[in-house]
Amino acid sequence: MALTTPTAAPPDKGGDAGDLAEFGYEQQLHRSLGKFASFAAGFSFVSILTTIFQLFGLGFGFAGPAFFWTWPVVFAGQFLVALCFAELAARYPLSGAVYQWSRRLGGEVLGWFGGWFMILAQIVTASAAAIALQVVLPAVWSGFQIIGEDTSLTSPSGAANAVLLGTVLLVVTTTVNSVGVRWMARVNTVGVVCEIVGVVAVIGVFFTHAQRGPQVVFDTGVHAGQSGYGWAWIASGLMAAYVMVGFGSAGELAEETRDPRRVAPRTIRMALSVSALGGGLMILGALMAAPSLTDGRLATEGLPYVLDTVLSSPWGTVLLVDVAIAILICTLAIQTAASRLMFSMARDERLPFSKALATVNRRTGTPIAPAIVVGLACVAVLLLNVGNSAIFSTLASVCIIAIYLAYLLVTAPMLYRRLTGGWISGAGGTDAEGRPLFSLGRWGVLVNAGAVLYGLVMVVNLSWPRAEIFDPAGTTPILRWAGPISIVAIVALGILCFPRGRIHPRPVRPL
C-alpha cells in the first residue's frame, strides 16, 4: 500500500473547491489528503489497539468469554450507520459532518444539537484517550511515573501523573493540529501504519501461544448475578459500543480530501470494517492465549496481563511502545475531528466567538483557534481525574451516549426523508463529472431503519443505570443514574446555549 504524503498546496479554485461553492462555502482549508490519509482519520479515531487494551476487562468481567459475540453484533449495527454516513458523505462532503448532515436533513435545531452532542463527546473522548498513557508509559519506563510511585489510575499519585502525561500529549497534538493538515496527516499516517503492524503482531503472538481452542467463545464463565446471563451479556456489549465509534471522521475532513465524494464513503466503511476485523481477532486471540480464565486477572488487568505472560520483557515493551503510539494518534484524530466540527459550526455563526473560531490560517490552511480551544477543554476535563476517578470514568461513559445520540440525529431525519419521498432513489445521483455516487438504492429504507432501531437500543443500553459502570466503588449511588441525568443536562444546556440570533442560511443542494 503506497503511503502518499499530502502537500501544502494552496486551495484550488475549481474542481472540488467549485463543488464546495455550491454549498455556499469558500475553499479555505487546504485540500491535500489522499485515500490512505482519509482512511487513517477514521481508523485512528476507533484505535482498537488503544481501546481494546483499555476495555477488554469490562466486557470479560460482565459475561466471560462469550462476551466475544457482542463484537459482531455491535459491528453489524454500526455498519448500518456507516452505510448511511457513506451515502451522506457522497452528497454533503463538508467539514463538521454530523452537524452538517443533521442540519441539512432535519433543520437548524437538529443540526445544532447534532453538533452540540458530538463536540462535547469528542472533547471528553480525547481526554479519555490521553489519560490512557498512564496505563502504558510507566510500564515501559519507571521514569514516566513523575508524581509519586503508585501507577494505578485510582490512586492519588497515579491520577495526578495521568493528568500530567495527558496534558503533555494534548500540547503535542494541539501543536501538530495548529501547524497544518500536512503534518497532522504525516503523523497520523505513520502512526496508523505502526498501529496496524502492532495489531497484526499482537494477534500473531496470541494465536501462537494459544492455551485453548476457539470454542472458548461459547464459554459463559461463572455468573453470580441475580438477573440472569442474558442481562450480563447485554451489559458486556458496552465494551464494543465504546470502541466502534468515530469511523465517520473521514467525513469531518471532507473539505481537506481530494475527490471526497468518492473517497470518503469508501474510507468510512473501510475504517469500521478493518477495525472490526482486527479487534475481533485480538479478542479471540486473547481468550485463547490467556493463562487462566478464572483467576480474575483477565477481568481486572485485561490484555496487558495476557501479553505479560506470553512475551519476554523486551518484546512486551516494544508492543507497549506501539500502544503508546496508538494512543497518540487516537488523541490526535479525535482532536482534529472536534476542531473541524467547531470550525464548521462557527462558520455558520452557531457558536460564541464564531468569527475567531472560523478563521483559517492562510499559510497552514488550518483553523488554529478551534484546535487550541479543544485542547484546553480536554485538559480541563482531565483535571476531573484528580481525586475523582469514578466521576471521570462516568463522564467517559456518558460521552459515548452523546455520540450515539448525535448519530441518531442524522439517521432518524434521514429515514424520515426517505419515507416521505424527500430522498433521491435509484442510483443516487452523480458527481460533477457524471460518475455515480455511492447509494444504498432500494435497500436504503431497510438499512436506514435498521440503523435507527440499533441506535435507539444502544442509547437505552448505554444509559441503563448500572452500578458496575457508573458507580463501581459503590460510594455514590446517584452516579448510577448518570446516563439519564446527563442526557437531560446536556439537552438543557444545549437549549440555553442555542444561538437565538439571526440565522444566515446556506444553500442546500437537493438530494
Side-chain angles (χ1 to χ4, degrees), residues 123-124 126-132 147 153 155-168 170-171 374-393 395-396:
I123 288 171
V124 179
S127 304
I131 213 169
I147 301 175
L153 273 173
S155 68
S157 61
N161 200 67
V163 172
L164 176 60
L165 294 178
T167 299
V168 172
L170 286 164
V171 170
V374 171
L376 291 174
C378 289
V379 172
V381 173
L382 276 182
L383 294 174
L384 293 175
N385 195 61
V386 179
N388 298 284
S389 60
I391 293 177
F392 184 84
S393 61
L395 193 61

Side-chain angles (χ1 to χ4, degrees), residues 347-359:
R347 181 174 56 180
D348 288 344
E349 301 180 22
R350 313 308 287 154
L351 295 174
F353 309 105
S354 285
K355 185 176 180 179
L357 293 173
T359 299

Side-chain angles (χ1 to χ4, degrees), residues 257-349:
T257 303
R258 295 187 294 269
D259 196 11
R261 289 181 179 273
R262 298 178 67 81
V263 171
R266 184 183 305 118
T267 53
I268 286 172
R269 305 192 308 272
M270 186 182 298
L272 178 60
S273 299
V274 172
S275 298
L277 176 61
L281 290 174
M282 283 178 63
I283 294 171
L284 175 60
L287 293 171
M288 293 170 60
S292 173
L293 300 176
T294 58
D295 64 0
R297 294 187 65 186
L298 199 55
T300 57
E301 300 177 44
L303 295 194
Y305 157 62
V306 184
L307 281 177
D308 287 344
T309 56
V310 301
L311 281 183
S312 59
S313 180
W315 288 111
T317 300
V318 169
L319 282 176
L320 285 176
V321 170
D322 200 49
V323 174
I325 294 173
I327 293 170
L328 164 64
I329 64 165
C330 178
T331 307
L332 177 63
I334 300 170
Q335 187 184 19
T336 302
S339 66
R340 298 311 187 264
L341 173 57
M342 186 175 287
F343 160 76
S344 185
M345 295 181 72
R347 181 174 56 180
D348 288 344
E349 301 180 22

Side-chain angles (χ1 to χ4, degrees), residues 42-317:
F43 182 81
S44 55
F45 194 125
V46 179
S47 190
I48 52 177
L49 204 56
T50 300
T51 50
I52 294 181
F53 260 77
Q54 283 181 295
L55 299 169
F56 180 92
L58 174 69
F60 183 86
F62 271 112
F67 94 95
F68 168 84
W69 296 106
T70 64
W71 188 261
V73 170
V74 171
F75 166 67
Q78 288 292 63
F79 194 69
L80 297 178
V81 178
L83 289 173
C84 293
F85 283 10
E87 207 170 23
L88 287 166
R91 286 157 180 76
Y92 298 125
L94 301 169
S95 294
V98 168
Y99 156 70
Q100 291 284 358
W101 297 340
S102 58
R103 170 178 172 256
R104 292 167 186 273
L105 290 169
E108 295 291 342
V109 174
L110 282 186
W112 157 259
F113 278 100
W116 173 251
F117 285 139
M118 199 67 187
I119 204 164
L120 291 181
Q122 287 173 337
I123 288 171
V124 179
T125 304
S127 304
I131 213 169
L133 280 182
Q134 179 63 23
V135 181
V136 178
L137 289 186
V140 173
W141 177 48
S142 60
F144 284 115
Q145 186 63 35
I146 300 168
I147 301 175
E149 297 181 355
D150 192 339
T151 63
S152 173
L153 273 173
T154 57
S155 68
S157 61
N161 200 67
V163 172
L164 176 60
L165 294 178
T167 299
V168 172
L169 174 57
L170 286 164
V171 170
V172 172
T173 57
T174 301
T175 303
V176 172
N177 263 314
S178 298
V179 297
V181 71
R182 177 186 182 186
W183 281 101
M184 184 280 296
R186 281 179 168 175
V187 172
N188 209 32
T189 296
V190 172
V192 164
V193 172
C194 291
E195 180 166 5
I196 291 174
V197 171
V199 168
V200 173
V202 169
I203 292 171
V205 166
F206 286 162
F207 276 88
T208 54
H209 291 79
Q211 303 292 317
R212 58 194 67 81
Q215 68 274 10
V216 67
V217 298
F218 297 102
D219 181 0
T220 59
V222 179
H223 177 63
Q226 299 178 354
S227 53
Y229 182 77
W231 288 107
W233 186 82
I234 291 172
S236 72
L238 297 183
M239 178 266 187
Y242 287 172
V243 173
M244 283 189 268
V245 294
F247 47 84
S249 292
E252 299 284 359
L253 299 177
E255 292 181 32
E256 294 155 276
T257 303
R258 295 187 294 269
D259 196 11
R261 289 181 179 273
R262 298 178 67 81
V263 171
R266 184 183 305 118
T267 53
I268 286 172
R269 305 192 308 272
M270 186 182 298
L272 178 60
S273 299
V274 172
S275 298
L277 176 61
L281 290 174
M282 283 178 63
I283 294 171
L284 175 60
L287 293 171
M288 293 170 60
S292 173
L293 300 176
T294 58
D295 64 0
R297 294 187 65 186
L298 199 55
T300 57
E301 300 177 44
L303 295 194
Y305 157 62
V306 184
L307 281 177
D308 287 344
T309 56
V310 301
L311 281 183
S312 59
S313 180
W315 288 111
T317 300

